[in-house]
Amino acid sequence: MFLRILLLLVFFAVMIGVGIACRKSAGNVQGFVLGSRNVGSWLTAFAFGTSYFSAVIFVGYAGQFGWRFGMASTWIGIGNALIGSLLAWRVLGRRTRLMTRHLGSATMPDFFGRRYDSKALKVAASAIVFVFLIPYTASLYNGLSRLFEMAFNIDYIWCVIGMAVLTGIYVLVGGYMATAVNDFIQGMIMLGGIVAVIVSVLNGNGGFSQAVAELSRIPSESAPDLNGAFVSFFGPQPLYLLGVVLLTSLGTWGLPQMVGKFYAIRDEEAISKGTLISTAFAFIVAGGCYFIGGFGRLYGGAVEYAASGSPVYDSIIPTMLASMPDIVIGIVIMLVLSASMSTLSSLVLTSGSTLTLDIIVPAHRAGMTEKSQLNCIRLLVLFFIAVSSVIAIVQSKSSVTFIAQLMGISWGALAGAFLAPFLYGLYSKRVTKASVWVSFASGIIIMGLCMFCTFTGRTFISPFFTSPINAGVLAMVSGLILVPVASLCSRVGDKDAVERIFNCYERMVTVNAATALSRRDES
């Protein structure tokens, strides 16, 4: 117990120290929100990765999908690395950085407002961010609380309050740079922690071969005729597995807290290095989380079960860790704490800056000074932390008993509404304002109906789409189809203005020979 407490105290001291050290960089709005767009490759890559993977992944998703798919759940981590990180950086990174700086936008809603020349779009996007980031933020606390209860026997409420207060301190004091530096430190802890967990879980089950052999003997309820279902290549439910891969990988392309990391990149070198670092980070952390989750059925006799007879998914990973040595448990607690706090800081900073810059400042007729805007962002960061904390505590007493449900609804709504118009808006001049409204409406309606059916016990479309995961994939795919179709059926606004926006890609720059060959080199 002394060792666990000591590790936590050191961790807390470092986080607060970083916030104090970075306070000078948070003296204006650009510095507080985007780090003055001067963040290097390592900090950006780790900020992207740690915002991506939280307690929702390590405790909720790894437990739930490891139980359902067995070792095949590792495909989710691979998809996160290749689609959610590698392709996201390649497809979005450079163009996002160029166009958002050209437009002068600091948030995703502001991008929609300037790119499509519509204040109404900006306000609508801000409202969507406000509504759907809160349940995701609230979901971060739950998995963390289970680990603290297992390790320290601390009441859930105190876990929520402690995490909220600590995150609030360093975000309010140091802004984006404090978040980025702490993300780097937390990311290093996550890398070391996941390796320690993998080794401990396998050793606790007689090694890799023995663990796989034991897992192969467990029958699957969903595929009773498939021998060794939980060690098969695609698991007992490959179609459901594909849905999870798509939502958790492609879905990040439409999440404002993820895309916002590209706004702050310093230069070309940071993009090139950041792509590799972020992909490697995702392979290790996400791949490792889902890999160990695949062995969850080996602990079937010890996990917590609901009245319906189904396992409480959030209890699976804590059960796997309960018998580990104290030093490993201490490392795991710091791992999950790091993952949760990094994501929480990113979410509340995104929410606070979006509501201030996209709704409050434009509505303030007399104008707001730089200091007033900063104070407003800080107050809203406090507000979001407080609201998400209250929701997390109330949610623990409600029928929503596992993390993945809240995260699936949040990701599905945000990605369904934003992914298509953001992606197409970076590449095509033909995307229209009307098509963006269609995408917003389809994403919100689909996930709203799914949420309604989930809480009323009804079936949404079919049993397959009752899952928020599959409904989220439907929302994303609908947007990707509807935006081009709606653009063909509607008119582009000011074509000259669109041309001026896309001129940011035509600006000539000089690079060294190692980056690009010149005609002179060919002669």
Side-chain angles (χ1 to χ4, degrees):
M1 184 65 70
F2 173 76
L3 179 61
R4 298 175 192 176
I5 294 174
L6 179 62
L7 287 173
L8 279 181
L9 291 176
V10 171
F11 178 84
F12 294 160
V14 170
M15 297 302 104
I16 294 175
V18 168
I20 295 172
C22 294
R23 66 188 185 279
K24 291 183 179 179
S25 66
N28 55 59
V29 172
Q30 283 289 315
F32 189 87
V33 176
L34 295 176
S36 300
R37 299 184 190 263
N38 193 36
V39 185
S41 55
W42 284 91
L43 292 184
T44 302
F46 272 71
F48 186 90
T50 54
S51 297
Y52 197 161
F53 310 116
S54 65
V56 180
I57 299 292
F58 185 76
V59 178
Y61 272 21
Q64 178 181 1
F65 300 124
W67 185 273
R68 291 181 61 182
F69 307 130
M71 291 185 65
S73 62
T74 308
W75 283 110
I76 305 172
I78 295 173
N80 293 170
L82 296 180
I83 301 173
S85 295
L86 178 63
L87 275 182
W89 278 73
R90 287 290 187 185
V91 175
L92 301 178
R94 184 178 291 103
R95 283 182 173 256
T96 298
R97 173 65 170 78
L98 286 170
M99 186 172 284
T100 56
R101 180 161 189 171
H102 180 72
L103 292 173
S105 63
T107 65
M108 182 178 273
D110 192 37
F111 169 85
F112 288 126
R114 294 173 186 267
R115 167 65 179 84
Y116 300 106
D117 191 25
S118 171
K119 292 182 179 179
L121 276 179
K122 181 170 71 170
V123 172
S126 300
I128 294 171
V129 170
F130 174 78
V131 171
F132 287 98
L133 275 188
I134 287 182
Y136 181 21
T137 306
S139 73
L140 296 175
Y141 298 96
N142 198 4
L144 184 69
S145 70
R146 288 186 175 272
L147 288 176
F148 266 75
E149 287 175 355
M150 178 267 290
F152 300 104
N153 196 28
I154 297 176
D155 186 80
Y156 176 76
I157 294 176
W158 294 111
C159 296
V160 171
I161 293 173
M163 178 177 164
V165 169
L166 182 60
T167 305
I169 289 173
Y170 77 74
V171 173
L172 291 173
V173 174
Y176 185 90
M177 282 305 298
T179 300
V181 174
N182 275 332
D183 285 350
F184 178 78
I185 297 170
Q186 292 160 352
M188 296 301 292
I189 295 172
M190 291 168 67
L191 289 173
I194 198 64
V195 173
V197 171
I198 292 173
V199 172
S200 297
V201 168
L202 294 180
N203 285 342
N205 288 279
F208 177 72
S209 298
Q210 181 64 30
V212 172
E214 290 293 328
L215 192 62
S216 68
R217 299 187 185 101
I218 300 176
S220 169
E221 305 89 344
S222 57
D225 298 328
L226 179 62
N227 294 326
F230 296 113
V231 296
S232 61
F233 199 67
F234 291 120
Q237 298 174 296
L239 191 58
Y240 281 88
L241 175 62
L242 177 62
V244 178
V245 172
L246 288 176
L247 181 65
T248 61
S249 301
L250 189 60
T252 60
W253 296 28
L255 300 182
Q257 75 272 19
M258 301 297 297
V259 174
K261 300 298 184 288
F262 299 135
Y263 288 39
I265 298 175
R266 182 171 57 209
D267 52 27
E268 174 67 26
E269 183 182 11
I271 293 177
S272 301
K273 289 183 179 178
T275 302
L276 299 177
I277 298 167
S278 178
T279 303
F281 183 89
F283 263 119
I284 296 171
V285 174
C289 285
Y290 289 111
F291 175 75
I292 62 169
F295 294 96
R297 294 239 175 196
L298 297 179
Y299 301 81
V303 301
E304 180 183 342
Y305 287 86
S308 62
S310 61
V312 176
Y313 295 122
D314 296 353
S315 72
I316 295 173
I317 297 298
T319 300
M320 295 173 69
L321 301 174
S323 60
M324 291 184 179
D326 282 349
I327 183 65
V328 177
I329 292 177
I331 292 173
V332 170
I333 290 171
M334 288 203 302
L335 183 161
V336 179
L337 186 62
S338 297
S340 299
M341 288 178 58
S342 58
T343 306
L344 177 63
S345 62
S346 177
L347 290 174
V348 297
L349 189 57
T350 298
S351 301
S353 59
T354 295
L355 199 58
T356 299
L357 301 179
D358 300 331
I359 295 182
I360 295 176
V361 172
H364 204 279
R365 295 182 179 180
M368 293 180 68
T369 64
E370 188 93 358
K371 184 177 180 180
S372 298
Q373 293 179 38
L374 268 177
N375 290 336
C376 185
I377 293 173
R378 287 190 167 103
L379 284 174
L380 285 172
V381 166
L382 275 177
F383 170 77
F384 281 110
I385 291 176
V387 170
S388 63
S389 301
V390 171
I391 292 175
I393 294 170
V394 172
Q395 179 261 327
S396 68
K397 310 294 183 182
S398 72
S399 59
V400 182
T401 56
F402 56 91
I403 296 174
Q405 195 172 31
L406 284 175
M407 183 177 177
I409 291 171
S410 176
W411 274 36
L414 291 167
F418 295 156
L419 189 155
F422 185 81
L423 174 63
Y424 291 138
L426 292 175
Y427 281 86
S428 174
K429 302 174 184 178
R430 186 65 185 83
V431 183
T432 65
K433 185 190 308 181
S435 71
V436 181
W437 282 114
V438 170
S439 181
F440 284 7
S442 66
I444 299 308
I445 289 172
I446 289 173
M447 293 313 298
L449 289 174
C450 177
M451 186 188 304
F452 174 78
C453 292
T454 297
F455 294 131
T456 57
R458 302 180 183 182
T459 299
F460 175 62
I461 303 178
S462 72
F464 180 79
F465 289 110
T466 299
S467 164
I469 302 294
N470 297 327
V473 174
L474 175 63
M476 286 194 304
V477 173
S478 298
L480 290 170
I481 295 172
L482 289 173
V483 167
V485 172
S487 294
L488 290 174
C489 301
S490 55
R491 296 179 58 184
V492 178
D494 187 340
K495 293 184 178 181
D496 291 335
V498 174
E499 288 292 337
R500 287 194 296 270
I501 291 173
F502 276 80
N503 281 341
C504 67
Y505 299 145
E506 306 300 326
R507 181 170 54 87
M508 299 297 294
V509 296
T510 303
V511 298
N512 58 40
T515 303
L517 297 174
S518 66
R519 293 184 179 276
R520 184 174 57 186
D521 295 323
E522 299 172 1
S523 59

